[in-house]
Amino acid sequence: MTREIYPCLWFNNEAQEAAQYYCGIFENSKILSSNPIVTMFEVNGKTFMALNGGPNFTFNESVSFVVNCKDQQEIDHYWNSLTSNGGQESMCGWCKDKYGVSWQIVPEVLGSLMNDKEKGPRVMQAFLKMKKFDIATLENC
C-alpha cells in the first residue's frame, strides 16, 4: 500500500502567509486548503503542510529544499525571490528565506561538472567561493 508522504513546516503564526509566499515564487503551485491551524499547499505537484505551531520550534539547516535549475535565469529568480525581504544568503548555493527555511539553489549541470575527472576539482574550488551559483563560471573552470 502506497501512502503519500509530505513535509510539515512549523511556523509560529504565519502558515497561510508562508504558503501564499511559496506559491507566488514557484510556478504550478496552489493553496489546497486552509484553516487557522493548517494550510495545505502544492508546489510542482508536491504537497506541503504549513502549521501554525507557535514559537517552540524554528527552522535550521539540518533540513533544506533543493531546487534544481536549468539555467542562470532560474537560479537568479529563485535566489532573488527567496533571499529578498529578510532572507539570507549563505555559501555554495545555500540560502534562507524570510521564514528561516533553508534552500539549495543548484544548477542541473552541477552533477556532470563535478563528475568530470579533470574539471571536477576546479569546479568544486570555484563554487566553494560562491554564494549564488554562477553557471558560466563553473562551466569555464
Side-chain angles (χ1 to χ4, degrees), residues 114-132:
M114 292 293 296
N115 288 333
D116 183 309
K117 290 183 184 196
E118 182 183 321
K119 234 181 183 181
R122 293 192 307 268
V123 169
M124 188 169 80
Q125 288 303 311
F127 84 65
L128 286 173
K129 298 173 188 167
M130 294 179 181
K131 289 186 177 186
K132 177 175 70 173

Side-chain angles (χ1 to χ4, degrees), residues 4-59:
E4 182 179 16
I5 298 173
Y6 53 85
C8 174
L9 304 175
W10 182 300
F11 296 91
N12 182 14
N13 196 29
E14 309 91 357
Q16 185 176 30
E17 173 187 310
Q20 291 170 337
Y21 170 74
Y22 298 130
C23 288
I25 293 172
F26 295 94
E27 291 182 15
N28 304 314
S29 301
K30 61 185 174 185
I31 303 293
L32 301 173
S33 65
S34 188
N35 64 53
I37 303 298
V38 172
T39 299
M40 300 296 294
F41 65 105
E42 190 175 275
V43 175
N44 292 333
K46 306 289 184 205
T47 301
F48 291 80
M49 175 193 291
L51 170 72
N52 283 326
N56 296 339
F57 300 105
T58 58
F59 297 106

Side-chain angles (χ1 to χ4, degrees), residues 72 90-94 107 109-110 113-114 118-141:
Q72 193 65 46
S90 191
M91 299 303 293
C92 305
W94 285 65
V109 72
L110 185 61
L113 292 172
M114 292 293 296
E118 182 183 321
K119 234 181 183 181
R122 293 192 307 268
V123 169
M124 188 169 80
Q125 288 303 311
F127 84 65
L128 286 173
K129 298 173 188 167
M130 294 179 181
K131 289 186 177 186
K132 177 175 70 173
F133 278 114
D134 180 322
I135 295 175
T137 299
L138 296 175
E139 289 179 331
N140 290 324
C141 283

